[in-house]
Amino acid sequence: MSVAAGGLVTLGETLGLLVAEDVGPLPLIRGMRLSMGGAESNVAIGVSRLGVPATWIGRLGRDSVGDLIERHLMAERVHCLVRRDAAPTALMLRERRTATASLVSYYRHGSAGSHLCPEDLPEDVIEQAGVLHLTGITPALGPGPAAAVREAMRRARAAGVPVSVDLNFRSRLWDAATAAPVFRELAAGADMLFAGDDEARIALGIQDPAGATSEELAVALGELGPTEVVVKRGRHGATARIDGAEIDVPAVPVDAVDTVGAGDAFVAGYLASRLTGRDAHERLSTAALTGAFAVTVPGDWEASPRPHEMSLLVAEENVQR
């Protein structure tokens, strides 16, 4: 499978994922399900399932978990530009402590993914992309991954390739004070910026959780540079400011089984629609649908829909201006 020009290119760390099969304390469960997860690869899968070419760049260990990740991605028609590393592939363990609350443990220090560096970015792949998608997770992994993100962004902007950034704050990787200047740097280089309310406040240095509305956060983020800003509000929908226009999109009502991966599916729906020439309202409507699909089954990416499945969930409200 060759890299197709005009599609999505993304980079970052994908982890092996162990999920408890039962609800309850981890020492008492009967088994674990092995899968994979990673914000960037979740988006790549979501975009690919919607019929848009997607490429993921990363490092994996020379181990069975790395084999599993590459196999899954290739099965989802995501082109993998992978370097195998002597360090192990990272792992994430998810304990279903109650029916509605999960506890996550990471085993990623010194992992293969933390060794990502600018030299891992192949020539001409970013330059031929329709969109480069980055997250705020990768710079938190270490100096090499941070340099890779900056180099990817530099190359994309030099080539006129639109840059998408999802801030994706991870408190296990760094604190808000450390993340804030990096988030502002990413926002300044982005054309499209996605953030939750809390992530927007980190980037803007707002301490009070009630210090600004979603609309005000979107405007303030736009002043950092991006022309398309989407503040994701989970079950409350999303607020966007796109080319100066404010747009609200309600969430699609569904019975949530597992909310992990919903934000990535939302971004995938938006970017796939943008890459196929849809207008802002269609992008947000599609994003709301793909985000809703993500919560209907367990797993980070498994529920991402294909085009013929989109009608299975119908929004009760249209995008409102």
Side-chain angles (χ1 to χ4, degrees), residues 246-264:
E246 182 182 308
I247 307 171
D248 289 321
V249 56
V252 177
V254 293
D255 293 326
V257 174
D258 182 357
T259 60
V260 176
D264 300 329

Side-chain angles (χ1 to χ4, degrees), residues 232-253:
K232 299 178 289 183
R233 298 184 290 125
R235 60 187 178 87
H236 300 294
T239 296
R241 186 142 183 108
I242 299 175
D243 297 326
E246 182 182 308
I247 307 171
D248 289 321
V249 56
V252 177

Side-chain angles (χ1 to χ4, degrees), residues 38-44 46-47 50 94 133-135 137 164-170 193-199 230-235 237-238 251 258-272 283-284 286-297 299-301 303-305:
E40 300 86 1
S41 55
N42 292 346
V43 171
V47 167
L50 291 173
R94 188 175 301 144
H133 178 65
L134 305 168
T135 78
I137 299 172
S164 162
V165 171
D166 191 349
L167 292 183
N168 262 330
F169 178 64
R170 294 291 184 269
L193 182 67
F194 302 88
D197 279 348
D198 55 340
E199 295 160 344
V230 182
V231 177
K232 299 178 289 183
R233 298 184 290 125
R235 60 187 178 87
D258 182 357
T259 60
V260 176
D264 300 329
F266 182 100
V267 171
Y270 186 95
L271 295 180
R283 292 176 222 158
L284 290 165
T286 300
L289 277 169
T290 53
F293 265 101
V295 307
T296 58
V297 303
D300 287 27
W301 51 269
S304 291

